[in-house]
Amino acid sequence: MSHNKNDNNFIKKIATIIVDKRYLFFLLYGFALIFCFFSMNWVKVENDVTTYLPEDTETRQGIETMNSNFETFATARLMVSNITYDKADEIYDMLSKVNGVQLVSFDNTPDHYNDASALYDINFNAGVNDDISIKAIKTITENLSDYDVSIDTMIGYDEIAELAKEMTVILIVAVLIIIIVLVLTSRSYAEVPVLLLTFGMAAALNLGTNFMCGKISFISNSIAVVLQLALAIDYAIILCHRFSDEHETLNAREACINALSKAIPEISASSLTTISGLIALSFMKFTIGLDMSIVLIKSVFLSLLSVFTLMPGLLVLFSPLIDRTKHKKLLPNITPIGKFAVASRHIMPIIFAVVLVGAFWFAHHCPFCYSYNEVETSKMSPRQMAAFKIKDTFGTSNMVALIIPKGDYDAEKSVIQDLEACPEVKSTLSLSGIEAMDGYYLTDSLNPREFSELANLDYEVAQALYSAYALEHNQYGQILNGLTEYDIPLFDMFLFLKDQMTSHNIVLSDDSQKTMDDLFEQLDNAKLQMQSDNYSRMVVFLDLPEEGQETFDFLGKIRDIIGKYYDDDYYVVGNSTSSRDLASSFAGDNLLISVLSALFVILVLLFTFQSVALPVLLIVVIQGSIWINFSFPTIMNQPLYFLGYLIVNAIQMGANIDYAIVISSHYQELKTKMSHKEAIVKALNSSFPTVFTSGTIMASAGLLIGRLSAQPVISIMGNCLGRGTIISIILVLCVLPTILVLGDSLIERTSFKLQKFNKNVQTTSSNGKLKLNGHVRGYISGMVDADFDGSLSGELNASISTDEQLNIEEGTYNE
C-alpha cells in the first residue's frame, strides 16, 4: 500500500512542476512550433506502395532493376467520343504531328474504334513531369477542345499535391465537426479552445518530426493528422473533465495539479490499447504497415506529451474564462437504452451470437482487390473519371514488362513469338518488333551489302564501318575471313554508326545525314526505354484483368516461356505481378494482425480489469463489430482494397475497444454500490458523453476521408473506419451492457482480486440470511452485521471466498 502512496506522491510532484513551470513549457512549445514550421518541408514522401513489398518479391526486385536501367516515358490513353472513323483518322494525323509525341497507336479495330468512339494510345518523348510532355498534352487538349475528350494520363499530375489539397479541406471540415461535438459534450464553452490548441500543437509536432522517419508513405503523410485527432483527442477530454471536477472545490492551480496527477495513470492506460493495435501493424510483411505504425504511434506519444505538459498550463490560463462560460449539460441521458439492455439481457446475446456467425462468414468472403485501379470512390478526379469512361468503352489495358538479360536478339525474338501465340496476349512491344525501314526490324542482322542499300551508303563505306565494328568488338576472325557474310544486328550497327559520326570518323552526305539524324532520334528513345547495358525490356499487353487466378496463372506461364531461353536473372513486372505478390502476403499479414491486435489488447485488459472473462467479452464485442463492418463489401459486392482492411482492422480493435472499456469500468465501479440493473443504466449515462465524443470524432473523420478523398486507398480506409466506428458504438451501447449483466458471475469467478484470500471462491445470488467467515466482493442490498465474520441479510449478489460450507437461509430477510 505504501508503494502506491509513493507512486501517487511522485506523480503529484511531477504534476506540480508541470503546472508551476507552465510558462517555461509555453516557451519550449513556441520554439518547437517554429522548428516544426520549417521541418515539415524536410519530409520525403514515397508515392509507390510497391516499394514496401518484401525485398525477396519479384515485383520489388523487378521494379528496382527496371528503374535503375531504363527510362520510362510518359503515355496517355485518349478517347474521343461521338465521332466518325474518318474524323478519328484526321485526329490521328493531328496527334502524330504534335511536338513531343513519339508514337500514336490507332487503327480500325475494336481495340481503337468502338461505339462511335476512338481510342488513341500515345507515347511521348519525355517523362510525365518534363515540360515537353506537359506542353504536348496541353496542345492536344487545346486542339480537341471542341470534342468530347477523355484523357487518362499521369502527365503533370502531382498526386501528393492533390492529396494535400484534399486533406486540407477534410481537416477544415473535421475541425468544424469537432468543435460542434466538443461544445455538446463540454461543461464550459472555453474548454473548446483549450482542447483545440492542445491537439493543434500535437499535430504540428507529429508533422514536424516525420522527417526523422526518413521517407514515409503518402498514406501516412496524408491521413496521420486526421487519425491522430480521432485517436488521441479523448486524452485531452479526460484531463479536461478531471479538471472541471476538481475545480468545483479547489482553485485553478490546485485543481489542475490534482487532475493531472489522477489523469496521467488513467490516460496512459487508455492509450495502451490504441498503441497495442498499432504495434500489430508493424509486424506486416508488407512494410507499409510498419511505416504507418511508426507515424501513428509517434502521434499518440506526442499527443500524450501535449496533454501532460501543455494542456495543464492552458487550463490554468483559461480558467477564468472557463468559469464564466459554464453551461448546462447539452447531451441527454440514454436511460431508455440502459433499460432496454436490462430487459433484453436474455435475448440480445443470442441475437448477437447469430449475427456474429453470419458476419464471420461474410467477412471471410470479402471480395478483396490488390490493385486500386479498379476501385471507384465517392469522389473521383477528372483523370479517374476518364479512366473509367475509357474502361467502359474499350475495356482495361493490362501491361506487363519483361526484363531479360541483354544481347541475345534471337532469344528475345523467340520469347515474343511464343507470347504472341498465346490467346491471352493482345500485343507486344520490343526491339524485335520495331520496324526500322524498308521492312527490316531493329534486331534483324544485315551484312555490309544489305546495310549499304538500307542506309543509302557507299558499299566501301559500309565495309569500312563493319571492319571498324569488328575491331571494336575484338572479332578479328571476321576481318580475316571476309566481311561478305558478316551479319550484325541492325540496332547495334546503327548505334555504332552514330558513335562514329559523333567522333567524326565517318562523314555522310547531307541527305544521308538528315535520314540518319531522324533515325538516330528514334533509336535513342528506343534504347532508353528498351535496352540498357545489362538488360533488355519488352512490353506485353494482356487480354486479362489486372488480378484474378487466371491472370496469376498466366504470369507463371510467361515465366515458363522466358525460362526456355534464359536460365535466370529475368523479371516480370506490372500491376498484375504486384497484385499477385500482395495477395500472397495478405493471408499471412491478415492473420498476424488479427491475432496480435487481439492478443495485445487482451494483455492490457487483463492487467486493467484483473479478470480473465471480462477482456474476452470486450474483445468479442469489438471483433464482432469488425466482422460486421467487413461484411458490407461482401453483401454489396464491392471490391475492398486489401490494405484498407488490414489497417482498419488494427485501428478499429485498438481504438474502439476504449468505448467498451469506459462502460465496463463504470459498471464495475457502480455495481458495488447498487444493483446490477441500476449500475448498468447509470454506467451508460456516465459513459455516453465520452463514447459520443470520441466515437463521433472518429466516425466523422473516417467518413470525411472516405467521401472527400479521390485517392482510392485513403478513401477506402476512411469509409471502413467511419462505418466500423459507428457499428462499434452501436454494439457497445446496445449489446455490451446485456453481456456484462448476464456474464457478471463469470467475470467475478475469473477475477484475480480474490485469489489473495482463500482458495474456495464461490459466486452466489440469493435473498436470505447467510452466516459467513470470509471475504465478500459484490453487491449487498440490506444489513451487513459484523466484519466478514457474522451474518449477511438481504439481497446478495457477490463472490465469496471462504473455507466454510455456505448455508443460506432463503427468504428470511424482509425489507
Side-chain angles (χ1 to χ4, degrees), residues 57-66 69 400-405 535-536 538 558-559 562 568-574 577:
T57 58
E58 182 180 20
T59 300
R60 174 73 178 273
Q61 294 174 352
I63 287 175
E64 290 177 351
T65 301
M66 189 166 65
N69 285 273
V400 174
L402 314 182
I403 313 299
I404 57 178
Y535 294 96
S536 292
M538 298 182 289
I558 291 176
R559 290 188 57 82
I562 301 174
D568 52 18
D569 198 24
Y570 58 84
Y571 307 96
V572 181
V573 183
T577 60

Side-chain angles (χ1 to χ4, degrees), residues 391-434:
K391 174 192 169 187
D392 292 340
T393 307
F394 291 96
T396 58
S397 177
N398 187 4
M399 184 187 76
V400 174
L402 314 182
I403 313 299
I404 57 178
K406 170 197 171 185
D408 192 342
Y409 292 128
D410 291 335
E412 290 182 26
K413 192 170 184 178
S414 297
V415 169
I416 291 298
Q417 288 174 346
D418 289 356
L419 287 172
E420 288 180 339
C422 299
E424 295 89 350
V425 175
K426 294 170 66 175
S427 62
T428 61
L429 179 63
S430 66
L431 290 177
S432 63
I434 298 176

Side-chain angles (χ1 to χ4, degrees), residues 247-265:
H247 194 36
E248 290 180 1
T249 56
L250 299 173
N251 61 42
R253 176 184 174 276
E254 292 297 326
C256 199
I257 292 172
N258 283 358
L260 183 58
S261 62
K262 294 177 181 178
I264 287 177

Side-chain angles (χ1 to χ4, degrees), residues 12 50 71 88 189 286 338 363 413 443 564 602 608 629 687 758:
K12 194 161 187 176
T50 59
E71 291 285 342
Y189 294 117
F286 188 39
K413 192 170 184 178
T443 58
K564 291 193 300 183
I602 282 179
T608 301
N629 184 19
S687 307
N758 285 293

